[in-house]
Amino acid sequence: MGPALFFGTITTVIKDHLIKAFGHAALSPDPDLAIAALMIARVEYPKLDAGPYLDQLDALGNEAKLRVAAATVVRGSAPPRVDPDHYAQVMAINEYLFDELRFVGNEQQYEDPRNSFLNEVLDRRTGIPISLALLYMEVARRAGLHVVGINFPGHFLLRCPARRGLQYSEDLIIDAYHRGALLSEDACKALLRQHAGEDAVFDAQLLVRATKPQILARMLVNLKRVYVHMHSFPQARDVTELLLAVDPSATNELRDRGLLAYHLNDYAAALRDLQRYLQLSAKAELDEDDRKDYEQIWEHVKTLRRRVASLNNPAAAGRQGSEDPPRCTSPRRGVTDRGTRGGTRRSTRAARSRRPRGPSGRFS
């Protein structure tokens, strides 16, 4: 059964101790991604016991280590300039994860939030590019094979770096969503055009290693976008708390937390966050879209001030009358794992209303 959805007014937000623990795990130098990923799952499953899933990953890693150690180099099978040892080892992990265990990309229910939870990926053996890539990295790390993440636009990828100083100079680019497919530079260019448009220019910097905080933040932004699209605002707000734990300076997440609090009728929290967002944005250089966003947030702040004042003065509230409650609008289009998905920026007509737009985001 899928995750439950919760609707209502002010709800209990995610526990402070989980936010702090997640921030510590996300920013620590330890390469382990699984612990932080399982903390993300507690947004939906607060009582989740991470232990059995970490044990399962250890078991997968131990078996993969045996497969990697036994990998046999077949002469002429590796692509040009690719280390044949690395190629054989990657093929061994691919065969284990995708042929034997049958992990697969979830094409049929791509936007199911369970695709972003590591426990569900392990239980159901399906996910989206970044969650399957995280699983792959964790298994490879336990097997002794160095594999890193790539924050490629619209579709998270992996890289098995070449060992420098040898005649083999080509890294292996791996697509965990498509059963560990190996991508050439031409294939990467085609993938970029698919997700970023025909005019997108390929650059080697698109294949740089993603840091641990970047990987976890991308998972969270995906999940927030899904929850907003489902109008599951309490969980979306919790995800935003975790995003701010990864990067407290992320003003857009501060704005989104305020907008989500507004949707949940938590006016005092919404006012606090949106006022802080305006203060920080006033010091930054804004493009045209950001200026429009600033102006709309300012309108929300003025409305929130009246609402908070009316709550503190019920007699005045009776004289002023009520205002329509905020609603979340449809997602705007943006680059995601399937080309054009994601975000929640309002239409021109909706922008004229007093209702706050939903938080933005990208799905990848």
Side-chain angles (χ1 to χ4, degrees):
M1 188 173 78
L5 302 181
F6 300 95
F7 299 89
T9 55
I10 300 175
T11 59
T12 303
V13 297
I14 195 168
K15 300 297 184 182
D16 287 343
H17 68 83
L18 177 56
I19 297 171
K20 292 176 182 177
F22 176 77
H24 177 77
L27 300 175
S28 79
D30 188 330
D32 186 288
L33 286 160
I35 292 175
L38 289 167
M39 289 182 184
I40 292 173
R42 285 185 178 157
V43 168
E44 192 64 58
Y45 312 102
K47 297 182 179 180
L48 177 69
D49 181 0
Y53 293 100
L54 294 174
D55 291 343
Q56 187 176 345
L57 281 172
D58 289 342
L60 295 178
N62 288 336
E63 181 60 29
K65 187 173 184 178
L66 297 176
R67 307 297 182 93
V68 166
T72 302
V73 174
V74 178
R75 186 173 181 178
S77 61
R81 300 184 301 281
V82 168
D83 185 338
D85 288 329
H86 274 183
Y87 178 79
Q89 292 164 355
V90 167
M91 290 298 101
I93 289 184
N94 284 356
E95 181 180 359
Y96 178 52
L97 289 179
F98 304 117
D99 293 343
E100 293 187 30
L101 298 180
R102 298 185 180 278
F103 281 96
V104 65
N106 193 344
E107 288 283 349
Q108 300 302 316
Q109 296 177 308
Y110 192 88
E111 298 198 21
D112 188 326
R114 292 176 293 178
N115 292 328
S116 292
F117 299 131
L118 182 56
N119 59 314
E120 290 282 4
V121 173
L122 286 165
D123 286 343
R124 301 165 68 232
R125 300 195 177 182
T126 191
I128 55 175
I130 194 167
S131 58
L132 289 171
L134 187 146
L135 169 74
Y136 196 110
M137 283 186 281
E138 288 297 291
V139 171
R141 182 171 64 84
R142 287 164 169 79
L145 183 63
H146 185 46
V147 175
V148 300
I150 300 173
N151 249 336
F152 197 78
H155 193 100
F156 197 87
L157 297 172
L158 296 166
R159 183 173 72 239
C160 181
R163 291 178 287 183
R164 303 311 174 195
L166 300 180
Q167 59 178 313
Y168 308 110
S169 59
E170 292 292 321
D171 298 342
L172 286 169
I173 307 301
I174 306 165
D175 182 356
Y177 185 73
H178 292 109
R179 297 172 52 82
L182 301 182
L183 304 186
S184 65
E185 183 174 309
D186 286 343
C188 290
K189 291 178 180 178
L191 186 64
L192 178 65
R193 290 193 297 270
Q194 177 185 341
H195 292 293
E198 290 296 325
D199 296 331
V201 178
F202 180 81
D203 187 281
Q205 288 300 308
L206 295 175
L207 299 177
V208 299
R209 176 180 182 173
T211 65
K212 182 178 178 180
Q214 287 171 342
I215 294 170
L216 294 169
R218 184 161 174 166
M219 289 188 73
L220 288 165
V221 169
N222 288 343
L223 187 56
K224 180 180 72 171
R225 194 208 65 83
V226 170
Y227 276 141
V228 169
H229 183 74
M230 296 168 66
H231 287 198
S232 185
F233 302 136
Q235 290 97 324
R237 186 183 186 183
D238 288 347
V239 171
T240 306
E241 295 281 6
L242 297 181
L243 277 162
L244 284 166
V246 176
D247 183 5
S249 67
T251 56
N252 284 349
E253 298 306 333
L254 181 67
R255 174 203 63 200
D256 287 358
R257 187 175 69 180
L259 290 171
L260 287 162
Y262 198 165
H263 291 310
L264 293 167
N265 297 339
D266 191 351
Y267 301 137
L271 181 60
R272 181 173 60 250
D273 280 348
L274 295 182
Q275 285 186 146
R276 181 59 179 159
Y277 168 76
L278 291 178
Q279 291 170 358
L280 295 172
S281 297
K283 302 175 184 178
E285 294 185 9
L286 304 178
D287 60 22
E288 183 177 354
D289 286 342
D290 288 335
R291 284 196 298 272
K292 291 179 180 178
D293 185 69
Y294 183 96
E295 292 168 1
Q296 187 61 42
I297 296 299
W298 173 232
E299 292 301 317
H300 296 330
V301 165
K302 288 190 286 187
T303 299
L304 282 165
R305 286 175 176 172
R306 291 194 297 270
R307 291 193 176 191
V308 171
S310 70
L311 291 174
N312 293 331
N313 186 353
R319 292 192 298 271
Q320 292 175 0
S322 61
E323 299 182 47
D324 293 337
R327 297 179 184 177
C328 185
T329 57
S330 301
R332 69 180 173 90
R333 299 177 70 82
V335 177
T336 67
D337 265 340
R338 288 187 169 180
T340 54
R341 298 177 187 269
T344 51
R345 191 176 294 273
R346 303 163 60 222
S347 66
T348 302
R349 179 181 296 179
R352 298 192 187 104
S353 75
R354 293 178 296 182
R355 297 176 297 178
R357 70 173 178 80
S360 62
R362 295 175 182 269
F363 191 41
S364 50

